[in-house]
Amino acid sequence: MDQALLLIHNELLGTDLSVYWNSERCYHCLLQVLVNVSGNGKPGKPSIAAVAVSTQHGSILQLNDTSEEKEVCRLEYKFGEFGNYSLLVKHVHNGVNEIACDVVVNENPVDSNLPVSIAFLVGVAVVVAVCFLRFLLSLDDFNNWISKAINSRETDRLINSELGSPSRAGQLGDDTRPEAWRPSAVPLRLRCVDTFRGIALILMVFVNYGGGKYWYFKHSSWNGLTVADLVFPWFVFIMGSSIFLSMTSILQRGCSKFRLLGKITWRSFLLICIGIFIVNPNYCLGPLSWDKVRIPGVLQRLGVTYFKFGM
Ligand SMILES: *[C@@H]1O[C@H](CO)[C@@H](O)[C@H](O)[C@H]1NC(C)=O
């Protein structure tokens, strides 16, 4: 996965080539030796070396003359997943004797982002469908039509014969109204915090289970920012806003500040303990080991932050 085939054709007779590679994403990294291609091919039959190149980010390729350690050419290219490419190194005779390095696509790559795009589109389609249904249910005409359809004699008879409930017809008309089942007791701003929390949770589970091996669902190693890096800050943000909301309402209900502080301290303590003793990296492997315990773990950080927020 995330690889492409690169065939390097060395058409410079008598010149051995060393090929170096680096990822565009790697900040100030040294070039790595990729392969050596000998120059002892025959005219019309160059020597070819086959290598696998990473397709996650753009690649930097540099070809050196092995004997003189002189740069022959250098190019940047973004290979696509499962593509088959050829890099042709040859002389071009246009007056001066120059060396050209050209990338030729033998087989087109596949679109590795296709599954993500499809999942995203399906999600958008579901959201649009739910919104549309809600909109329909909020229309009086549509409701009347539904209640008429449900209350029609035919359905009534069917319902009665299957469920044996004779006094159904009168209630249904009112029950299908959206106001009846909408949880209007929850204030709107809490609901949006809950939605955000849900999104962050889904993302967290997805990221923790490998994120489909896409680079943008993995934590960036040092430089850069990916979706995976945003999950923890989002949780901290959610925690901060929920603390503000819940504390204002608790204080309004006349709870003493002292008791609140006790509550917060207890919760932070629990979070830190769970982080240290339960979400220990060795939890799955056996009993807690002190050599490998991670004191600044995720839950511990959340606990400390919670305490700090609470103050
Ligand atoms: C890649 O393309 C070259 C040139 O068309 C072909 O000879 C080779 O068999 C292809 N390799 C694969 C794995 O498809």
Side-chain angles (χ1 to χ4, degrees):
M1 217 192 275
D2 289 329
Q3 281 186 331
L5 175 68
L6 176 64
L7 305 168
I8 300 162
H9 299 242
N10 182 0
E11 297 180 11
L12 312 175
L13 304 181
T15 312
D16 293 346
L17 291 175
S18 315
V19 184
Y20 297 88
W21 174 88
N22 194 2
S23 165
E24 262 178 5
R25 185 92 171 171
C26 195
Y27 185 67
H28 280 205
C29 296
L30 296 175
L31 293 161
Q32 311 278 310
V33 179
L34 192 63
V35 71
N36 288 318
V37 198
S38 77
N40 52 16
K42 296 183 181 63
K45 201 170 173 299
S47 52
I48 299 175
V51 284
V53 282
S54 160
T55 59
Q56 285 195 342
H57 307 288
S59 300
I60 300 170
L61 289 169
Q62 180 172 331
L63 287 83
N64 283 5
D65 185 331
T66 310
S67 52
E68 298 172 30
E69 269 309 320
K70 199 183 70 187
E71 181 181 320
V72 173
C73 60
R74 184 188 175 93
L75 68 154
E76 292 182 10
Y77 197 84
K78 173 89 177 72
F79 296 102
E81 187 169 13
F82 300 144
N84 179 349
Y85 299 88
S86 285
L87 176 60
L88 308 176
V89 188
K90 57 187 174 195
H91 291 288
V92 277
H93 304 282
N94 49 353
V96 278
N97 208 352
E98 271 187 7
I99 295 175
C101 300
D102 296 312
V103 176
V104 178
V105 182
N106 302 325
E107 265 169 52
N108 279 322
V110 299
D111 184 3
S112 53
N113 288 327
L114 199 62
V116 177
S117 322
I118 290 177
F120 180 74
L121 286 182
V122 168
V124 169
V126 169
V127 169
V128 168
V130 168
C131 290
F132 184 66
L133 264 180
R134 286 196 153 195
F135 172 70
L136 275 188
L137 284 177
S138 68
L139 290 180
D140 276 350
D141 283 350
F142 184 74
N143 271 319
N144 290 341
W145 179 75
I146 279 203
S147 17
K148 260 187 208 143
I150 289 178
N151 291 344
S152 75
R153 283 186 151 258
E154 183 60 17
T155 343
D156 222 345
R157 197 179 53 79
L158 273 176
I159 290 175
N160 286 348
S161 64
E162 287 198 359
L163 299 175
S165 58
S167 60
R168 233 182 131 78
Q171 305 166 354
L172 266 174
D174 297 328
D175 279 359
T176 43
R177 290 197 171 271
E179 286 83 8
W181 49 267
R182 196 177 280 168
S184 51
V186 183
L188 194 64
R189 50 186 196 178
L190 274 188
R191 205 188 292 161
C192 67
V193 169
D194 282 341
T195 312
F196 190 35
R197 194 180 334 211
I199 293 173
L201 258 177
I202 291 176
L203 211 62
M204 184 191 79
V205 171
F206 186 56
V207 163
N208 282 1
Y209 278 89
K213 297 220 165 72
Y214 288 101
W215 64 268
Y216 39 82
F217 289 127
K218 283 184 194 156
H219 290 290
S220 60
S221 33
W222 175 244
N223 55 323
L225 181 77
T226 63
V227 184
D229 298 325
L230 292 175
V231 174
F232 182 74
W234 282 352
F235 272 119
V236 176
F237 175 80
I238 293 166
M239 196 167 76
S241 24
S242 331
I243 284 183
F244 173 73
L245 293 175
S246 67
M247 274 193 190
T248 341
S249 73
I250 287 178
L251 286 179
Q252 269 170 5
R253 262 187 269 140
C255 180
S256 79
K257 283 193 174 169
F258 192 67
R259 260 192 69 193
L260 202 57
L261 186 64
K263 232 178 184 173
I264 290 167
T265 318
W266 175 240
R267 272 202 188 178
S268 314
F269 176 73
L270 279 186
L271 272 175
I272 294 173
C273 285
I274 292 173
I276 292 181
F277 294 107
I278 300 182
V279 195
N280 183 295
N282 286 333
Y283 169 63
C284 303
L285 305 175
L288 190 78
S289 94
W290 284 113
D291 343 328
K292 295 209 176 139
V293 69
R294 185 173 174 222
I295 296 195
V298 172
L299 279 182
Q300 292 91 308
R301 283 164 207 243
L302 282 178
V304 171
T305 323
Y306 184 74
F307 188 66
K308 192 84 194 32
F309 270 142
M311 303 293 276

